[in-house]
Amino acid sequence: MEQIDVHRCFGGQQLRFRHPSAVLNCNMTFSIYLPPQAERGVVPVLYWLSGLTCTDENFVTKAGAQRYAAERGIAIVAPDTSPRGEGVPDDPEGAYDFGLGAGFYVNATQAPWSNHYRMYDYVVEELPALINEHFPVDGDKMAISGHSMGGHGALTIALKNPGRYRSVSAFAPICSPMHCPWGEKALANYLGSNRETWRDYDSSELMRSAQQQLPMLIDQGDADNFLQEQLKPELLQQAAKEAGYPLQLRMQPGYDHSYFFIASLIGDHLRFHAQYL
C-alpha cells in the first residue's frame, strides 16, 4: 500500500491509499477515516459504497460524515466505484452509467469485463482483508451503506452475506436493477442476457429469500428526479412486505438525489449503525 493523502479531521485522520488489487487486476484507491478512538484501540467499521461517476473522494469531501464518526468511534472505508487504469475497458460510447465509475458491485462474467470488473469480490473479500490487516478496526463489527448504485451494492452485499454485517443502510438506492434502465444496461453487459442470473444482484429479489433479517434503514427523497424510472423503492417495499422483512424506508419531502441530501441525513445513519456496532 502507498499512502497518498492524510488530513487531521475531528481529532482523527482522513487517509487515502493506493494498492494493487489481485481481484480487479489494477491499482485501486480507497479512503479511510480513523476516529480519535482508533489511537487507543480497535474500532468498528462502516463501509460506504458510492454511486455512478463517483470515486472514493466524493463521500469523503461532501457528506460530512467524519464529525459523526468521531463522536461514535466508527471508522469509515470508502472504496472507488470501479476498476481503473490502462487496459481497463470502458463504455464504448463513454456513457456515465456503465464502465469506469460504474462497476455496480457485481462480479462480471462476460468478456471483456470479467478480467477487471469484480467489484463484489473486492468489497466483500479483498478490501476488508486489507483493512483488517493494516488498520485498528474490528473485522467482526462491520456495517455497510451507500448511495444510488452504491445503495444497491450495500443492500445486495448485506443480503447475500448473512452474519457478516451488523446493519445496512442506503440513500436513494437502485432497489431493483432488473427493472430499470441503469440496471438493465449494466447487468446485461456484465452478466449476459440470461435475466435469471441477474437475480443474484437485485435486492428486491434477494430480500424474498434472505437468510437473515438485518437492521435496514433507507432514506429516499421525494424530489429525486431518478425516483420513478431508476430507483423504484416501492418494489423493495413490496418484497419486504411479502418476506416479513423489517425494512425502515423513509420518504424525505423535498430532497433530491444529490450529496446535499446525504449530508443532511448522514448523522442519522451513523447513529443508526452505532446502535448495532
Coordinates of all heavy atoms in Angstrom, one line a residue, residues 103-107 120 148-161 173-188 191 194-211 216 218 229-240 242-243 245:
G103 N -19.1 0.3 -11.7 CA -18.9 -1.1 -11.5 C -20.1 -1.9 -11.0 O -20.1 -3.2 -11.1
F104 N -21.1 -1.3 -10.4 CA -22.3 -1.9 -10.0 C -22.1 -3.0 -8.9 O -23.1 -3.7 -8.6 CB -23.1 -2.4 -11.2 CG -24.2 -1.5 -11.6 CD1 -23.9 -0.4 -12.5 CD2 -25.5 -1.5 -11.2 CE1 -24.8 0.5 -12.9 CE2 -26.5 -0.6 -11.5 CZ -26.1 0.4 -12.4
Y105 N -20.9 -3.1 -8.4 CA -20.7 -4.0 -7.3 C -21.1 -5.5 -7.6 O -21.7 -6.2 -6.8 CB -21.3 -3.5 -6.0 CG -20.9 -2.1 -5.7 CD1 -21.7 -1.0 -6.0 CD2 -19.6 -1.9 -5.2 CE1 -21.2 0.3 -5.8 CE2 -19.1 -0.5 -5.0 CZ -20.0 0.5 -5.3 OH -19.5 1.8 -5.1
V106 N -20.8 -5.9 -8.8 CA -21.1 -7.3 -9.3 C -19.8 -7.9 -9.7 O -18.8 -7.2 -9.9 CB -22.1 -7.3 -10.5 CG1 -23.4 -6.6 -10.1 CG2 -21.5 -6.7 -11.7
N107 N -19.8 -9.2 -9.9 CA -18.7 -10.0 -10.5 C -19.1 -10.2 -11.9 O -19.9 -11.1 -12.2 CB -18.4 -11.3 -9.8 CG -17.7 -11.1 -8.4 OD1 -17.1 -10.1 -8.2 ND2 -17.8 -12.1 -7.6
Y120 N -17.8 -6.9 -6.6 CA -18.4 -7.6 -5.5 C -17.3 -8.3 -4.6 O -17.2 -8.1 -3.4 CB -19.4 -8.7 -6.0 CG -20.0 -9.5 -4.9 CD1 -21.1 -9.1 -4.2 CD2 -19.4 -10.7 -4.6 CE1 -21.7 -9.9 -3.2 CE2 -20.0 -11.5 -3.5 CZ -21.1 -11.1 -2.9 OH -21.7 -11.8 -1.9
S148 N -27.4 5.4 -4.1 CA -27.7 5.2 -5.5 C -27.2 3.8 -6.0 O -27.6 2.8 -5.4 CB -27.2 6.3 -6.4 OG -27.8 6.3 -7.7
M149 N -26.3 3.8 -7.0 CA -25.6 2.5 -7.3 C -25.0 1.8 -6.1 O -25.0 0.6 -5.9 CB -24.6 2.7 -8.4 CG -23.8 1.4 -8.8 SD -22.5 1.8 -10.0 CE -21.3 2.6 -9.0
G150 N -24.4 2.7 -5.3 CA -23.8 2.1 -4.0 C -24.8 1.7 -3.0 O -24.5 0.8 -2.2
G151 N -26.0 2.3 -3.0 CA -27.0 1.8 -2.2 C -27.5 0.4 -2.6 O -27.7 -0.5 -1.8
H152 N -27.6 0.2 -3.9 CA -27.8 -1.1 -4.5 C -26.7 -2.1 -4.0 O -27.0 -3.2 -3.6 CB -27.9 -1.1 -6.0 CG -27.2 -2.2 -6.7 ND1 -27.7 -3.4 -6.8 CD2 -26.0 -2.2 -7.3 CE1 -26.9 -4.2 -7.5 NE2 -25.8 -3.5 -7.8
G153 N -25.5 -1.7 -4.1 CA -24.4 -2.5 -3.7 C -24.4 -2.9 -2.2 O -24.3 -4.1 -1.9
A154 N -24.7 -1.9 -1.4 CA -24.8 -2.2 0.0 C -25.9 -3.2 0.4 O -25.7 -4.1 1.2 CB -25.0 -0.9 0.8
L155 N -27.1 -3.0 -0.2 CA -28.2 -3.8 0.1 C -27.9 -5.3 -0.4 O -28.2 -6.2 0.3 CB -29.5 -3.3 -0.6 CG -30.0 -1.9 0.0 CD1 -31.2 -1.5 -0.8 CD2 -30.4 -2.1 1.5
T156 N -27.5 -5.4 -1.6 CA -27.3 -6.8 -2.2 C -26.1 -7.5 -1.4 O -26.3 -8.7 -1.1 CB -26.9 -6.7 -3.7 OG1 -25.8 -5.9 -3.9 CG2 -28.1 -6.2 -4.5
I157 N -25.1 -6.8 -1.1 CA -24.0 -7.4 -0.4 C -24.4 -7.8 1.0 O -24.1 -8.9 1.5 CB -22.8 -6.4 -0.3 CG1 -22.1 -6.4 -1.7 CG2 -21.7 -6.9 0.7 CD1 -21.0 -5.3 -1.8
A158 N -25.2 -7.0 1.7 CA -25.6 -7.4 3.0 C -26.6 -8.6 3.0 O -26.5 -9.5 3.8 CB -26.3 -6.2 3.7
L159 N -27.5 -8.6 2.0 CA -28.4 -9.6 1.9 C -27.8 -11.0 1.5 O -28.2 -12.0 1.9 CB -29.5 -9.3 0.9 CG -30.5 -8.2 1.4 CD1 -31.3 -7.6 0.2 CD2 -31.4 -8.7 2.4
K160 N -26.7 -10.9 0.7 CA -26.0 -12.1 0.2 C -25.0 -12.7 1.2 O -24.5 -13.8 1.0 CB -25.3 -11.8 -1.1 CG -26.2 -11.7 -2.3 CD -25.5 -11.0 -3.5 CE -24.5 -11.9 -4.1 NZ -25.0 -13.1 -4.8
N161 N -24.7 -11.9 2.3 CA -23.7 -12.4 3.3 C -24.2 -12.4 4.7 O -23.8 -11.5 5.5 CB -22.5 -11.5 3.1 CG -21.8 -11.7 1.8 OD1 -20.9 -12.6 1.7 ND2 -22.1 -10.8 0.8
P173 N -31.3 4.2 -3.0 CA -30.7 3.0 -3.7 C -31.4 2.6 -5.0 O -32.7 2.9 -5.1 CB -30.8 1.9 -2.7 CG -32.0 2.3 -1.9 CD -32.0 3.8 -1.8
I174 N -30.7 2.0 -5.9 CA -31.4 1.4 -7.0 C -31.9 0.1 -6.5 O -31.2 -0.9 -6.2 CB -30.4 1.1 -8.2 CG1 -29.7 2.4 -8.7 CG2 -31.0 0.4 -9.3 CD1 -28.6 2.2 -9.6
C175 N -33.2 0.0 -6.2 CA -33.8 -1.1 -5.5 C -34.1 -2.4 -6.3 O -34.2 -3.4 -5.7 CB -35.1 -0.6 -4.8 SG -34.9 0.6 -3.5
S176 N -34.2 -2.2 -7.6 CA -34.4 -3.4 -8.4 C -33.7 -3.2 -9.8 O -34.4 -2.8 -10.7 CB -35.9 -3.7 -8.6 OG -36.1 -4.9 -9.3
P177 N -32.4 -3.4 -9.9 CA -31.7 -3.1 -11.2 C -32.3 -4.0 -12.3 O -32.1 -3.6 -13.5 CB -30.3 -3.4 -10.9 CG -30.3 -4.2 -9.6 CD -31.5 -3.8 -8.8
M178 N -33.0 -5.1 -12.1 CA -33.6 -5.9 -13.1 C -34.7 -5.1 -13.8 O -35.0 -5.4 -15.0 CB -34.2 -7.1 -12.6 CG -33.2 -8.1 -12.0 SD -34.0 -9.6 -11.4 CE -34.6 -10.3 -13.0
H179 N -35.2 -4.1 -13.2 CA -36.4 -3.4 -13.7 C -36.1 -1.9 -13.9 O -37.1 -1.1 -13.8 CB -37.5 -3.6 -12.8 CG -37.9 -5.1 -12.6 ND1 -37.5 -5.8 -11.5 CD2 -38.6 -5.9 -13.5 CE1 -38.0 -7.1 -11.7 NE2 -38.6 -7.1 -12.9
C180 N -34.9 -1.5 -14.2 CA -34.7 -0.1 -14.5 C -33.6 0.1 -15.6 O -32.8 -0.9 -15.7 CB -34.3 0.7 -13.3 SG -32.6 0.4 -12.6
P181 N -33.6 1.1 -16.3 CA -32.6 1.3 -17.4 C -31.1 1.2 -17.0 O -30.3 0.5 -17.7 CB -32.9 2.7 -18.0 CG -34.4 2.9 -17.7 CD -34.6 2.2 -16.4
W182 N -30.8 1.8 -15.9 CA -29.4 1.7 -15.4 C -29.0 0.3 -15.2 O -28.0 -0.2 -15.7 CB -29.2 2.5 -14.1 CG -29.0 4.0 -14.3 CD1 -28.7 4.7 -15.4 CD2 -29.2 4.9 -13.2 NE1 -28.7 6.0 -15.1 CE2 -29.0 6.2 -13.8 CE3 -29.6 4.8 -11.9 CZ2 -29.1 7.4 -13.0 CZ3 -29.7 6.0 -11.1 CH2 -29.4 7.2 -11.7
G183 N -29.8 -0.4 -14.5 CA -29.5 -1.8 -14.1 C -29.6 -2.8 -15.3 O -28.7 -3.6 -15.4
E184 N -30.5 -2.6 -16.1 CA -30.7 -3.5 -17.3 C -29.4 -3.4 -18.2 O -28.9 -4.4 -18.7 CB -31.9 -3.2 -18.1 CG -33.2 -3.6 -17.3 CD -34.5 -3.2 -18.0 OE1 -34.4 -2.3 -18.9 OE2 -35.5 -3.7 -17.7
K185 N -28.9 -2.2 -18.4 CA -27.7 -2.0 -19.2 C -26.5 -2.6 -18.5 O -25.8 -3.4 -19.2 CB -27.5 -0.5 -19.4 CG -26.2 -0.2 -20.2 CD -26.0 1.3 -20.4 CE -24.7 1.6 -21.2 NZ -24.5 3.0 -21.4
A186 N -26.3 -2.3 -17.3 CA -25.1 -2.8 -16.6 C -25.2 -4.4 -16.4 O -24.2 -5.0 -16.7 CB -25.0 -2.2 -15.2
L187 N -26.3 -4.9 -16.0 CA -26.4 -6.4 -15.8 C -26.3 -7.1 -17.1 O -25.6 -8.2 -17.1 CB -27.6 -6.7 -15.0 CG -27.8 -6.1 -13.6 CD1 -29.1 -6.5 -13.0 CD2 -26.6 -6.5 -12.7
A188 N -26.9 -6.6 -18.1 CA -26.8 -7.3 -19.4 C -25.3 -7.4 -19.9 O -24.9 -8.4 -20.4 CB -27.7 -6.6 -20.5
L191 N -23.2 -9.4 -17.0 CA -23.6 -10.8 -16.6 C -24.1 -11.6 -17.8 O -24.3 -12.8 -17.7 CB -24.6 -10.8 -15.5 CG -24.2 -10.1 -14.2 CD1 -25.4 -10.1 -13.3 CD2 -23.0 -10.7 -13.6
N194 N -29.0 -13.7 -19.9 CA -29.9 -14.5 -19.1 C -30.3 -13.8 -17.9 O -29.6 -13.7 -16.9 CB -29.2 -15.8 -18.7 CG -30.1 -16.8 -17.9 OD1 -31.2 -16.4 -17.6 ND2 -29.6 -17.9 -17.5
R195 N -31.5 -13.3 -17.8 CA -32.0 -12.5 -16.7 C -32.1 -13.2 -15.4 O -32.1 -12.6 -14.4 CB -33.4 -11.9 -17.1 CG -33.3 -10.9 -18.2 CD -34.7 -10.3 -18.5 NE -35.2 -9.5 -17.5 CZ -35.1 -8.2 -17.4 NH1 -34.5 -7.5 -18.4 NH2 -35.7 -7.5 -16.4
E196 N -32.1 -14.5 -15.5 CA -32.2 -15.3 -14.2 C -30.9 -15.1 -13.4 O -30.9 -15.1 -12.2 CB -32.4 -16.8 -14.5 CG -33.8 -17.2 -14.9 CD -34.8 -16.8 -13.9 OE1 -34.6 -17.2 -12.7 OE2 -35.8 -16.1 -14.2
T197 N -29.8 -14.9 -14.1 CA -28.5 -14.6 -13.3 C -28.5 -13.2 -12.7 O -27.7 -13.0 -11.8 CB -27.3 -14.8 -14.3 OG1 -27.3 -13.7 -15.3 CG2 -27.3 -16.1 -15.0
W198 N -29.3 -12.4 -13.2 CA -29.4 -11.0 -12.6 C -30.0 -11.0 -11.2 O -29.7 -10.1 -10.4 CB -30.2 -10.1 -13.5 CG -29.7 -9.9 -14.9 CD1 -28.7 -10.6 -15.5 CD2 -30.3 -9.1 -15.9 NE1 -28.6 -10.2 -16.8 CE2 -29.5 -9.2 -17.1 CE3 -31.4 -8.2 -15.9 CZ2 -29.8 -8.6 -18.3 CZ3 -31.6 -7.5 -17.1 CH2 -30.9 -7.7 -18.2
R199 N -30.8 -12.0 -10.9 CA -31.5 -12.0 -9.6 C -30.5 -12.0 -8.4 O -30.8 -11.5 -7.3 CB -32.4 -13.2 -9.5 CG -33.5 -13.2 -10.5 CD -34.4 -14.5 -10.3 NE -35.4 -14.6 -11.3 CZ -36.6 -13.9 -11.2 NH1 -36.9 -13.2 -10.1 NH2 -37.5 -14.0 -12.2
D200 N -29.3 -12.5 -8.7 CA -28.3 -12.6 -7.6 C -27.8 -11.2 -7.2 O -27.1 -11.0 -6.1 CB -27.1 -13.4 -8.1 CG -27.3 -14.9 -8.0 OD1 -28.3 -15.3 -7.4 OD2 -26.5 -15.6 -8.7
Y201 N -28.1 -10.2 -8.0 CA -27.7 -8.8 -7.7 C -28.9 -7.8 -7.7 O -28.7 -6.6 -7.9 CB -26.6 -8.3 -8.7 CG -25.4 -9.2 -8.7 CD1 -25.1 -10.1 -9.6 CD2 -24.4 -9.0 -7.6 CE1 -23.9 -10.9 -9.6 CE2 -23.3 -9.7 -7.6 CZ -23.0 -10.7 -8.6 OH -21.9 -11.4 -8.6
D202 N -30.0 -8.3 -7.3 CA -31.2 -7.5 -7.2 C -31.8 -7.6 -5.8 O -32.2 -8.7 -5.4 CB -32.3 -8.0 -8.3 CG -33.5 -7.1 -8.3 OD1 -34.2 -6.9 -7.3 OD2 -33.7 -6.5 -9.4
S203 N -31.7 -6.5 -5.1 CA -32.0 -6.6 -3.6 C -33.5 -6.9 -3.4 O -33.9 -7.6 -2.4 CB -31.7 -5.3 -2.9 OG -32.3 -4.1 -3.6
S204 N -34.4 -6.5 -4.3 CA -35.8 -6.8 -4.2 C -36.0 -8.3 -4.3 O -36.9 -8.9 -3.6 CB -36.6 -6.1 -5.2 OG -36.6 -4.7 -5.0
E205 N -35.3 -9.0 -5.2 CA -35.3 -10.4 -5.3 C -34.7 -11.1 -4.2 O -35.2 -12.1 -3.6 CB -34.7 -10.9 -6.7 CG -35.4 -10.4 -7.9 CD -36.7 -11.0 -8.1 OE1 -37.0 -12.1 -7.7 OE2 -37.6 -10.2 -8.6
L206 N -33.5 -10.6 -3.7 CA -32.8 -11.3 -2.7 C -33.5 -11.2 -1.3 O -33.4 -12.1 -0.5 CB -31.4 -10.6 -2.5 CG -30.4 -10.8 -3.7 CD1 -29.2 -9.9 -3.5 CD2 -29.9 -12.3 -3.7
M207 N -34.2 -10.1 -1.1 CA -35.0 -10.0 0.1 C -36.0 -11.1 0.3 O -36.2 -11.5 1.5 CB -35.6 -8.6 0.2 CG -36.3 -8.3 1.5 SD -36.9 -6.6 1.6 CE -35.4 -5.8 2.2
R208 N -36.6 -11.6 -0.7 CA -37.6 -12.6 -0.6 C -37.1 -13.9 -0.1 O -37.8 -14.7 0.5 CB -38.3 -12.8 -2.0 CG -39.1 -11.6 -2.4 CD -39.9 -11.9 -3.7 NE -40.8 -10.9 -4.0 CZ -40.6 -9.8 -4.7 NH1 -39.3 -9.6 -5.2 NH2 -41.5 -8.9 -5.0
S209 N -35.8 -14.1 -0.2 CA -35.2 -15.4 0.3 C -34.0 -15.2 1.3 O -33.2 -16.0 1.5 CB -34.6 -16.2 -0.9 OG -33.7 -15.5 -1.7
A210 N -34.0 -14.0 1.9 CA -33.0 -13.6 2.8 C -32.9 -14.6 4.0 O -33.9 -15.0 4.6 CB -33.1 -12.2 3.3
Q211 N -31.7 -15.0 4.3 CA -31.5 -16.0 5.4 C -31.3 -15.2 6.8 O -31.3 -15.9 7.8 CB -30.2 -16.8 5.2 CG -30.3 -17.7 3.9 CD -29.1 -18.4 3.6 OE1 -28.3 -18.8 4.6 NE2 -28.8 -18.7 2.4
M216 N -32.2 -2.5 8.8 CA -32.1 -1.8 7.5 C -32.8 -0.5 7.5 O -34.0 -0.4 7.7 CB -32.7 -2.7 6.4 CG -32.5 -2.2 5.0 SD -33.3 -3.3 3.7 CE -32.1 -4.7 3.8
I218 N -33.4 3.0 5.0 CA -33.3 3.6 3.7 C -34.0 4.9 3.7 O -35.1 5.1 4.2 CB -34.0 2.7 2.6 CG1 -33.2 1.4 2.4 CG2 -34.0 3.4 1.3 CD1 -33.8 0.4 1.5
E229 N -38.1 6.3 -12.5 CA -37.6 5.5 -13.6 C -36.5 4.5 -13.2 O -36.5 3.4 -13.6 CB -37.0 6.4 -14.7 CG -36.5 5.6 -15.9 CD -35.9 6.5 -17.0 OE1 -35.5 7.7 -16.7 OE2 -35.9 6.1 -18.2
Q230 N -35.7 5.0 -12.2 CA -34.4 4.2 -11.9 C -34.4 3.5 -10.5 O -33.9 2.4 -10.4 CB -33.2 5.1 -12.0 CG -33.0 5.8 -13.3 CD -32.5 4.9 -14.4 OE1 -32.4 3.7 -14.3 NE2 -32.1 5.4 -15.6
L231 N -35.0 4.2 -9.5 CA -34.8 3.7 -8.1 C -35.9 2.8 -7.6 O -35.5 1.8 -7.0 CB -34.7 5.0 -7.2 CG -33.6 6.0 -7.7 CD1 -33.6 7.2 -6.7 CD2 -32.2 5.3 -7.8
K232 N -37.1 3.0 -7.9 CA -38.2 2.1 -7.6 C -38.2 1.5 -6.2 O -38.3 0.3 -6.0 CB -38.3 1.0 -8.6 CG -38.4 1.5 -10.1 CD -38.4 0.4 -11.1 CE -38.5 0.9 -12.5 NZ -39.7 1.7 -12.8
P233 N -38.3 2.3 -5.1 CA -38.3 1.8 -3.8 C -39.6 1.0 -3.5 O -39.6 0.2 -2.6 CB -38.2 3.1 -2.9 CG -38.7 4.2 -3.8 CD -38.2 3.8 -5.2
E234 N -40.6 1.3 -4.2 CA -41.9 0.5 -4.0 C -41.7 -1.0 -4.2 O -42.4 -1.8 -3.6 CB -43.0 1.1 -4.9 CG -42.9 0.8 -6.3 CD -42.0 1.8 -7.1 OE1 -41.4 2.7 -6.4 OE2 -41.8 1.7 -8.3
L235 N -40.8 -1.4 -5.1 CA -40.5 -2.8 -5.4 C -39.8 -3.4 -4.2 O -40.1 -4.6 -3.8 CB -39.7 -3.0 -6.6 CG -40.3 -2.5 -7.9 CD1 -39.4 -2.7 -9.1 CD2 -41.6 -3.1 -8.2
L236 N -38.9 -2.7 -3.5 CA -38.3 -3.3 -2.3 C -39.2 -3.3 -1.2 O -39.3 -4.3 -0.4 CB -37.0 -2.4 -2.0 CG -36.2 -2.9 -0.8 CD1 -35.5 -4.2 -1.2 CD2 -35.1 -1.9 -0.4
Q237 N -40.1 -2.3 -1.1 CA -41.1 -2.3 0.0 C -42.1 -3.4 -0.2 O -42.4 -4.0 0.8 CB -41.8 -0.9 -0.1 CG -42.6 -0.5 1.2 CD -42.9 0.9 1.2 OE1 -43.2 1.5 0.1 NE2 -42.9 1.5 2.4
Q238 N -42.4 -3.7 -1.4 CA -43.3 -4.9 -1.6 C -42.7 -6.2 -1.3 O -43.3 -7.1 -0.6 CB -43.8 -4.9 -3.1 CG -44.7 -6.0 -3.4 CD -46.0 -6.0 -2.7 OE1 -46.5 -4.9 -2.3 NE2 -46.6 -7.2 -2.3
A239 N -41.4 -6.3 -1.6 CA -40.7 -7.6 -1.3 C -40.5 -7.7 0.2 O -40.6 -8.8 0.8 CB -39.3 -7.5 -1.9
A240 N -40.3 -6.6 0.9 CA -40.2 -6.6 2.4 C -41.5 -7.1 3.0 O -41.5 -7.9 4.0 CB -39.7 -5.3 2.9
E242 N -43.8 -8.9 1.6 CA -44.0 -10.4 1.3 C -43.2 -11.3 2.2 O -43.6 -12.3 2.6 CB -43.7 -10.6 -0.1 CG -44.7 -10.0 -1.1 CD -44.3 -10.1 -2.5 OE1 -43.4 -10.9 -2.8 OE2 -45.0 -9.5 -3.4
A243 N -41.9 -10.8 2.5 CA -41.0 -11.6 3.3 C -41.1 -11.4 4.8 O -40.4 -12.1 5.6 CB -39.6 -11.3 2.8
Y245 N -39.9 -8.7 6.2 CA -38.6 -8.1 6.5 C -38.8 -6.8 7.1 O -39.5 -5.9 6.6 CB -37.8 -8.0 5.2 CG -36.3 -8.0 5.4 CD1 -35.5 -9.1 5.1 CD2 -35.7 -6.8 5.9 CE1 -34.1 -9.0 5.3 CE2 -34.3 -6.7 6.1 CZ -33.5 -7.8 5.8 OH -32.2 -7.8 6.0

